[in-house]
Amino acid sequence: DDSYVDSGSPTGNFGSSVDINLQSPNLDDYFKFNVSGLTQAVQTAIIRLYVTDYSPDAGTIYAVSNYYQGTSTPWLETGLTWNNAPIIGGTPLSSGGVANVGTWVEFDVTNAISGNGTYSFGIDTSSTNTAGYNSSEASSNQPQFIIIQVPAPTPTATRTPTPTRTPTATLSPTPGGPPVVGETVTASSGSSQVNSISVASITGGTNQLVVVT
């Protein structure tokens, strides 16, 4: 939502206007944004407004209430007036510098954004020269709210354990001397039975190292 209010028309509503006008002491501006989808802390949050009317003072921005003044009812651009608009005051978040026609002015509101949620802002000025900005009802260059999150931490690489080497099998010695590779060895199993086995060389396994980066 976005709108401006006018002390010269205290019950007037300008929420459908394509312009947002700012001028001291009569015209103040209001913006409301719903923030969702944040997964990290906020690094930078900026409101950008496109200038349609020059002023030496683009204004100073403040965090304000999400509700009509003195109520618990959320304010809407279609119902905001000078009489019920949230009070603008407290510690300013930032100033926009000079408002030059055909350029964007930027207001840093990082300190007001703590995560997902609804945030409202008010802008006032000390200049009697009216600054003009496009509203969300304009056909192009509507207000922008840009949020940059702190980068997510990079996962730490882990090393895959090296497979344990299987011990090489050992032949049991045969009475009468060690077996010879390629020969036939006779083993006794009782007084009347003779079994013959072939002895071959045994090759050990190979270690394999897997590293995950």
Side-chain angles (χ1 to χ4, degrees):
D1 285 28
D2 55 39
S3 185
Y4 71 94
V5 296
D6 184 353
S7 64
S9 179
T11 60
N13 173 259
F14 306 95
S16 62
S17 173
V18 297
D19 299 310
I20 296 175
N21 298 316
L22 179 68
Q23 183 251 349
S24 178
N26 302 313
L27 307 175
D28 291 337
D29 300 346
Y30 289 86
F31 301 86
K32 179 183 283 188
F33 299 95
N34 293 315
V35 178
S36 62
L38 294 179
T39 57
Q40 304 292 329
V42 173
Q43 179 173 292
T44 305
I46 293 174
I47 294 175
R48 303 181 75 228
L49 303 177
Y50 187 78
V51 181
T52 58
D53 197 358
Y54 166 82
S55 176
D57 180 13
T60 300
I61 196 165
Y62 301 78
V64 301
S65 173
N66 289 326
Y67 307 101
Y68 291 115
Q69 187 179 154
T71 77
S72 58
T73 303
W75 68 264
L76 302 173
E77 64 177 24
T78 54
L80 200 64
T81 69
W82 179 272
N83 284 348
N84 65 15
I87 294 174
I88 297 177
T91 303
L93 295 170
S94 65
S95 295
V98 177
N100 289 308
V101 175
T103 66
W104 293 85
V105 295
E106 297 185 347
F107 297 91
D108 190 329
V109 296
T110 306
N111 290 339
I113 310 301
S114 58
N116 295 316
T118 301
Y119 298 91
S120 293
F121 302 94
I123 301 177
D124 66 9
T125 180
S126 60
S127 176
T128 57
N129 194 97
T130 302
Y133 303 112
N134 275 1
S135 75
S136 58
E137 280 70 34
S139 60
S140 62
N141 297 325
Q142 298 95 342
Q144 299 175 351
F145 190 23
I146 299 173
I147 297 178
I148 300 174
Q149 298 185 89
V150 173
T154 302
T156 304
T158 56
R159 179 185 292 271
T160 301
T162 303
T164 303
R165 182 170 182 170
T166 304
T168 302
T170 304
L171 290 176
S172 299
T174 301
V180 179
V181 173
E183 292 188 352
T184 299
V185 179
T186 300
S188 297
S189 178
S191 58
S192 62
Q193 182 178 2
V194 177
N195 297 323
S196 296
I197 60 173
S198 295
V199 179
S201 60
I202 299 176
T203 304
T206 302
N207 282 343
Q208 183 181 17
L209 177 64
V210 179
V211 178
V212 178
T213 59

